[in-house]
């Protein structure tokens, strides 16, 4: 089933500065994999359920735009026209940027690996934001034996710019994925990747509507912090 993301002209976004700080925490990370079962299912590349259709600012002043995946490619509906944006056949989970000008999405590289990509709403400047090598670097210090991949788990645009926050997980051939409980930031304009909270220090996250603060749920506590 495709994921619908709707852009609405009535929404407005208050700009806020893009975070620039990089975490320097050195405490030993904590990673707790889920227990294995007696049966080993096929690898799960995404464990979170896709969100329902979301109202977001429009890509232009014309009204409503919808981006959705079909047959592994992204399609844009706007002004009564449907335009194919990508051709790789491996794209899914698209998300509009706060200003509606860019679309971030996941792209499947092979059976186990995922990357984070972005494209402009007019179909130009398709580029890879977070590569397999980047994900390997994110999980290098805590990678468990038998992990075949480190993948993005959940990603979301931060209001007020083109910065994407995401966390990650380890993928195994047999047992269920293991969350890294991290938090990373990617500037989709500059390509700068910031390891905001290293593995064991982050977790599930929700940013304030204006992007000024982030709430982070860890296995033991809830943290409220500034994006830096």
């Amino acid at each position: 089933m495709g994921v619908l993301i709707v852009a609405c002209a009535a929404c407005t976004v208050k700009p806020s500065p893009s975070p620039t700080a990089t975490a320097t925490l050195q405490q030993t990370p904590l990673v707790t994999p889920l227990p294995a079962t007696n049966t080993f299912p096929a690898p799960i590349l995404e464990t979170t359920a896709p969100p329902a259709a979301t109202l977001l600012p429009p890509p232009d002043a014309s009204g409503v735009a919808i981006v959705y995946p079909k047959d592994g490619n992204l399609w844009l509906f706007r002004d009564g026209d449907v335009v194919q944006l990508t051709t790789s056949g491996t794209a899914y989970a698209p998300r509009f940027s706060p200003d509606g000008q860019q679309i971030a999405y996941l792209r499947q590289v092979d059976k186990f690996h995922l990357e984070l990509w972005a494209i402009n709403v007019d179909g130009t400047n398709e580029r890879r934001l977070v590569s397999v090598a980047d994900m390997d670097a994110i999980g290098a210090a805590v990678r468990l034996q038998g992990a075949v991949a480190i993948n993005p788990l959940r990603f979301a645009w931060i209001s007020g710019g083109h910065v994407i926050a995401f966390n990650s997980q380890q993928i195994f051939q047999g047992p269920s994925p293991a969350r890294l409980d991290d938090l990373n930031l990617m500037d989709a304009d500059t390509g700068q990747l910031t390891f905001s909270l290293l593995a064991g220090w982050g977790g599930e996250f929700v940013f304030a509507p204006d992007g000024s603060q982030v709430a982070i749920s860890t296995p033991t506590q809830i943290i409220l912090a500034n994006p830096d």
Side-chain angles (χ1 to χ4, degrees):
M1 179 180 297
V3 178
L4 296 183
I5 296 184
V6 181
C8 173
C11 304
T12 58
V13 177
K14 179 181 178 182
S16 63
S18 299
T20 58
T22 302
T24 58
L25 303 175
Q26 301 297 327
Q27 181 171 327
T28 302
L30 304 176
V31 176
T32 306
L34 299 175
T37 60
N38 292 330
T39 60
F40 295 150
I44 302 175
L45 296 183
E46 185 179 23
T47 59
T48 55
T54 305
L55 295 178
L56 291 174
D60 57 28
S62 61
V64 175
I66 303 171
V67 61
Y68 60 95
K70 177 185 177 183
D71 299 327
N73 291 306
L74 301 186
W75 298 73
L76 180 71
F77 171 86
R78 184 171 58 186
D79 298 333
D81 297 324
V82 176
V83 178
Q84 183 174 347
L85 297 178
T86 66
T87 59
S88 68
T90 57
Y92 70 101
R95 307 282 189 272
F96 274 121
S97 62
D99 62 3
Q101 297 301 311
Q102 298 186 31
I103 300 168
Y105 62 95
L106 294 177
R107 183 166 168 177
Q108 188 165 351
V109 179
D110 54 34
K111 183 178 180 180
F112 298 105
H113 295 89
L114 295 177
E115 293 178 334
L116 182 62
W117 284 62
I119 191 172
N120 295 344
V121 292
D122 61 3
T124 63
N125 196 25
E126 183 180 15
R127 72 269 190 203
R128 179 173 54 195
L129 298 178
V130 181
S131 67
V132 171
D134 292 329
M135 296 306 306
D136 287 342
I138 287 173
V142 295
R143 188 164 186 158
L144 298 177
Q145 184 176 4
V148 296
I150 307 292
N151 285 335
L153 174 59
R154 189 173 70 85
F155 70 93
W157 293 93
I158 301 176
S159 297
H162 292 154
V163 175
I164 303 169
F166 68 96
N167 53 17
S168 53
Q169 64 179 351
Q170 301 185 73
I171 301 296
F172 301 87
Q173 289 190 352
S176 300
R179 296 171 181 265
L180 290 188
D181 288 328
D182 57 342
L183 181 62
N184 311 284
L185 304 177
M186 164 54 65
D187 189 319
D189 291 333
T190 66
Q192 179 181 355
L193 176 61
T194 302
F195 305 145
S196 186
L197 290 172
L198 303 181
W201 291 83
E204 287 302 313
F205 61 91
V206 176
F207 277 83
D210 63 359
S212 62
Q213 289 189 305
V214 57
I216 302 169
S217 174
T218 78
T220 59
Q221 59 186 329
I222 295 177
I223 302 169
L224 185 64
N226 295 334
D228 61 0

